[in-house]
């Protein structure tokens, strides 16, 4: 992914108003992000514990999505699978992220959701740059490039639902 500026991020959101996009908390460490290893930029809002954000590039266009997730966490013995990168996490490592749909459907309250790594670090898990709390990811027969393509495909399938 190419490095993004604060303006790139704020202007990319498809499921919130321009005012909401202007007020949301943008990461302050944009210059330190591992852009070459990211399929999307994801972060949690430090001022709102139930909000997170995601920005990705598709066909040369940026798409930003405001997400919500429940604050309640599952027990440590419970394991969940991320629908995007297929990483298994114990406890609260995976959360149901919901996003208001784009346009009129979203203004009417319609939303879509998926189970995703709570820390939004899917790209880093797939590439082995970050290790899940359980210590390992499952061994796969797919190449790294195939795993990255699958991760992007899963994310794009979710984003497509925002417009439906």
């Amino acid at each position: 992914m190419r490095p993004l500026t604060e303006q790139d991020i704020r202007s990319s959101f498809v499921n919130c108003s321009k005012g909401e996009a202007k007020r949301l908390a943008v990461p302050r460490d944009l210059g330190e992000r591992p852009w070459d290893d990211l399929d999307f930029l994801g972060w949690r809002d430090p001022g709102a514990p139930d909000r997170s954000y995601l920005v990705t590039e598709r066909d040369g266009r940026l798409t930003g999505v405001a997400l919500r997730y429940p604050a309640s966490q599952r027990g440590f013995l419970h394991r969940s699978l991320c629908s995007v990168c297929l990483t298994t996490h114990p406890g609260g490592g995976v959360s149901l992220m919901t996003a208001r749909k784009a346009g009129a459907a979203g203004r009417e309250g319609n939303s879509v959701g998926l189970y995703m790594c709570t820390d939004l670090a899917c790209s880093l898990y797939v590439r082995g740059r970050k290790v899940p709390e359980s210590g390992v990811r499952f061994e796969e027969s797919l190449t790294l490039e195939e795993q990255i393509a699958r991760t992007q495909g899963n994310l794009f399938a979710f984003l497509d639902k925002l417009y439906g």
Side-chain angles (χ1 to χ4, degrees), residues 100-101 104-111:
R100 202 168 53 202
K101 285 188 155 200
R107 289 188 294 277
E108 293 173 7
N110 295 322
S111 62

Side-chain angles (χ1 to χ4, degrees), residues 31-66:
E32 302 163 23
R33 295 287 173 136
W35 295 104
D36 290 339
D37 291 328
L38 297 180
D39 301 306
F40 62 89
L41 172 65
W43 72 99
R44 294 172 66 175
D45 188 332
D50 66 336
R51 292 181 191 209
S52 58
Y53 307 98
L54 180 151
V55 178
T56 191
E57 190 170 8
R58 183 178 187 186
D59 300 327
R61 286 189 54 204
L62 291 175
T63 301
V65 180

Side-chain angles (χ1 to χ4, degrees), residues 5-7 17 24 35 45 49 64-65 76 91 94 96 99 102-103 107 109 117 124-125 135 138 157-159 163-164:
T5 66
E6 182 175 339
Q7 182 56 40
S17 70
L24 63 83
W35 295 104
D45 188 332
V65 180
F76 186 77
V94 172
L96 175 61
R107 289 188 294 277
C117 295
L124 301 178
Y125 291 122
F138 289 111
F158 169 69
L159 295 176
Y163 300 99

Side-chain angles (χ1 to χ4, degrees), residues 1-160:
M1 181 168 193
R2 68 178 169 93
L4 301 178
T5 66
E6 182 175 339
Q7 182 56 40
D8 291 335
I9 293 167
R10 291 190 188 285
S11 63
S12 70
F13 283 88
V14 297
N15 69 336
C16 63
S17 70
K18 288 182 181 181
E20 289 170 320
K22 186 176 180 180
R23 291 186 301 272
L24 63 83
V26 174
R28 297 289 166 223
D29 63 346
L30 293 175
E32 302 163 23
R33 295 287 173 136
W35 295 104
D36 290 339
D37 291 328
L38 297 180
D39 301 306
F40 62 89
L41 172 65
W43 72 99
R44 294 172 66 175
D45 188 332
D50 66 336
R51 292 181 191 209
S52 58
Y53 307 98
L54 180 151
V55 178
T56 191
E57 190 170 8
R58 183 178 187 186
D59 300 327
R61 286 189 54 204
L62 291 175
T63 301
V65 180
L67 301 161
R68 288 187 175 256
Y69 61 96
S72 64
Q73 301 294 328
R74 292 189 165 136
F76 186 77
L77 296 177
H78 185 88
R79 298 177 64 81
S80 299
L81 180 72
C82 173
S83 300
V84 175
C85 67
L86 304 186
T87 299
T88 302
H89 295 275
V94 172
S95 296
L96 175 61
M97 303 280 184
T98 58
R100 202 168 53 202
K101 285 188 155 200
R107 289 188 294 277
E108 293 173 7
N110 295 322
S111 62
V112 294
L114 83 162
Y115 287 94
M116 190 170 184
C117 295
T118 304
D119 63 3
L120 302 167
C122 299
S123 303
L124 301 178
Y125 291 122
V126 168
R127 289 167 175 80
R129 304 278 193 265
K130 190 168 184 179
V131 178
E133 197 175 316
S134 60
V136 294
R137 282 188 79 226
F138 289 111
E139 284 288 322
E140 293 197 54
S141 59
L142 298 178
T143 66
L144 177 59
E145 291 75 23
E146 291 169 331
Q147 291 178 53
I148 292 168
R150 179 187 62 205
T151 298
Q152 291 173 337
N154 291 341
L155 178 62
F156 294 161
F158 169 69
L159 295 176
D160 288 345

